[in-house]
Structures are given as structure tokens and as C-alpha cells.
Amino acid sequence: MENILVIIITSIIAPILLLCFQEFMRYLRNKKHNVLKEIEKGVLELKKDTLRLQILNLIQHDPKNTAAINHLYDEYVNPPYSGNSYLRSVYLLWSQKYEHKKAK
């Protein structure tokens, strides 16, 4: 009789414990995934900020380096960065002075 009781209890509790363990592991994976997404988002923002600073630095200290400025600006305004801050007006002023052609 004891063996049957142990078998019944085990057959009820084991699947419940397995389900709880699976849900706990799913929770941990989702939490890890969310943390990684936040880190990725932060790194993307840092790269965009760095690009902006590089462009501003070149415009201020080496304004005749049109190839580098245009390359960095194209990278800055296109995905994944899609920068669209005050840099556009700075770039347009620089472009009018040093390139004599319409900027993006």
C-alpha cells in the first residue's frame, strides 16, 4: 500500500516540479534576453554619440576633409543610428561653405 501511495504522490508531484522548473528557466532566459537588449540599445546610443562627436570634431578642426565628414555623416543619418539632432544644421552650414552642394 505504501508503494502505491509513493507512486501516486510521485506521479502527481514530479510533473508539477518539472513544470515549475521549466517556467523558472523560461523566466531566467527572458530576463537575460531583456538585459542583453538593454545593453545592445546602450551600445548603439554610444556609437551614435561617438559618430556625432567625430563629425563635429572634424568640422571644427579639419573642415576640408570632406570625404571623412561625408562618410561619417552618411553613417550617422542612416540605420541603425538614424541620427537627426542639431547636427543636421551644423552639417548643412559646413556643406554650404566647403562643398558648395546640397547636403542630405
Side-chain angles (χ1 to χ4, degrees):
M1 186 70 164
E2 283 183 28
N3 287 342
I4 293 176
L5 188 58
V6 169
I7 291 171
I8 291 173
I9 292 173
T10 304
S11 66
I12 293 172
I13 293 178
I16 293 171
L17 289 176
L18 180 61
L19 181 63
C20 290
F21 179 73
Q22 288 173 337
E23 288 301 316
F24 179 69
M25 292 305 292
R26 185 176 297 131
Y27 167 78
L28 290 178
R29 275 193 303 271
N30 288 338
K31 187 174 180 179
K32 179 181 173 184
H33 178 72
N34 289 340
V35 168
L36 290 175
K37 282 177 68 174
E38 287 298 316
I39 291 171
E40 185 178 277
K41 182 180 173 184
V43 168
L44 190 65
E45 285 295 315
L46 284 172
K47 286 181 178 181
K48 182 168 78 171
D49 293 345
T50 302
L51 275 172
R52 183 184 317 112
L53 291 173
Q54 287 175 333
I55 295 165
L56 291 171
N57 188 40
L58 279 172
I59 287 174
Q60 183 177 10
H61 297 290
D62 192 10
K64 293 181 180 179
N65 192 349
T66 59
I69 294 170
N70 285 326
H71 172 75
L72 291 173
Y73 185 75
D74 285 342
E75 190 174 344
Y76 178 77
V77 296
N78 291 309
Y81 306 111
S82 301
N84 60 355
S85 67
Y86 67 94
L87 185 59
R88 178 174 163 75
S89 61
V90 173
Y91 178 79
L92 288 172
L93 287 173
W94 167 82
S95 178
Q96 290 170 356
K97 185 174 181 179
Y98 287 96
E99 286 204 315
H100 305 294
K101 68 179 184 180
K102 188 175 182 175
K104 282 187 169 182

